[in-house]
Structures are given as structure tokens and as C-alpha cells.
Amino acid sequence: MSNAVFYCSFKLKKDASAPDFLLAAEKLNNEYISKQKGYISWKQLVDGDTWADFITFETMEDVKKFESDSGNAGELAQKFYSFINLNSCNVNYFSVERDYK
């Protein structure tokens, strides 16, 4: 079975500090996301003012469970999302067809 990716592109709020956002993301990853079933990695991408989260899990089932349980991260998630313009979010789920390394 192939790996699966949670992909979300977004923009930060106009007054958001990128370094503070990255600290909140690191804390969320270290204390919650990395402990989820099937977690492999989280890459944060940026191009100008557009950001993207690229979170890889072992299976699509793991991705869907992560998404449905994401509210369980409590204050960690609240802090992370406080930097994001939620109206700009675009979420996709992908199965990894091929991985070139």
C-alpha cells in the first residue's frame, strides 16, 4: 500500500509573524502530529505569501484519521491556526504514486 499525503495550501494573516508561526508549527508537530498513527514527516513549503503543509502518513486511512481527530490537539492547534487566514485554505489528500529519492 502506498503512502498518503495531507496537503493544505494557505496564507498567513497579514499581521502574522512567520518565525512565530513556525515555532507554533514545530510545537504542534513535536507534541501532537508526530505522535499520530502512521506519521512519517511534515514539510512546510512557502512561495511568496503562499504556504503549504505537506504531511506524509503511511496510509490514506491514517491521513483521514489524522484529519478527523485534528481537533484533539487543543491549544496547540488553536495557536497554530491563529496565524492562518482560514478562508485561504485549500486541502487535498493524495496517494503517493511514485517516490523518487
Side-chain angles (χ1 to χ4, degrees):
M1 189 177 295
S2 67
N3 294 144
V5 172
F6 170 86
Y7 176 89
C8 179
S9 63
F10 55 90
K11 295 182 186 301
L12 297 182
K13 292 179 179 174
K14 293 196 185 305
D15 61 343
S17 158
D20 290 344
F21 166 68
L22 291 170
L23 286 174
E26 182 175 6
K27 188 170 178 76
L28 176 62
N29 183 67
N30 292 346
E31 296 181 25
Y32 181 76
I33 295 176
S34 66
K35 297 177 180 175
Q36 301 311 296
K37 181 181 180 304
Y39 171 87
I40 295 174
S41 67
W42 179 8
K43 293 177 176 69
Q44 288 193 289
L45 315 172
V46 66
D47 179 20
D49 65 349
T50 301
W51 289 75
D53 289 337
F54 189 95
I55 308 174
T56 306
F57 287 87
E58 291 177 1
T59 69
M60 185 61 74
E61 181 179 312
D62 294 336
V63 168
K64 299 287 182 156
K65 178 120 176 75
F66 160 73
E67 177 68 5
S68 68
D69 293 350
S70 62
N72 295 339
E75 288 183 27
L76 294 168
Q78 288 176 358
K79 179 69 173 174
F80 173 76
Y81 287 116
S82 74
F83 292 93
I84 297 173
N85 174 347
L86 297 177
N87 292 326
S88 70
C89 292
N90 183 20
V91 175
N92 296 96
Y93 306 96
F94 297 99
S95 293
V96 176
E97 186 69 22
R98 187 169 290 166
D99 188 359
Y100 303 96
K101 292 186 182 187

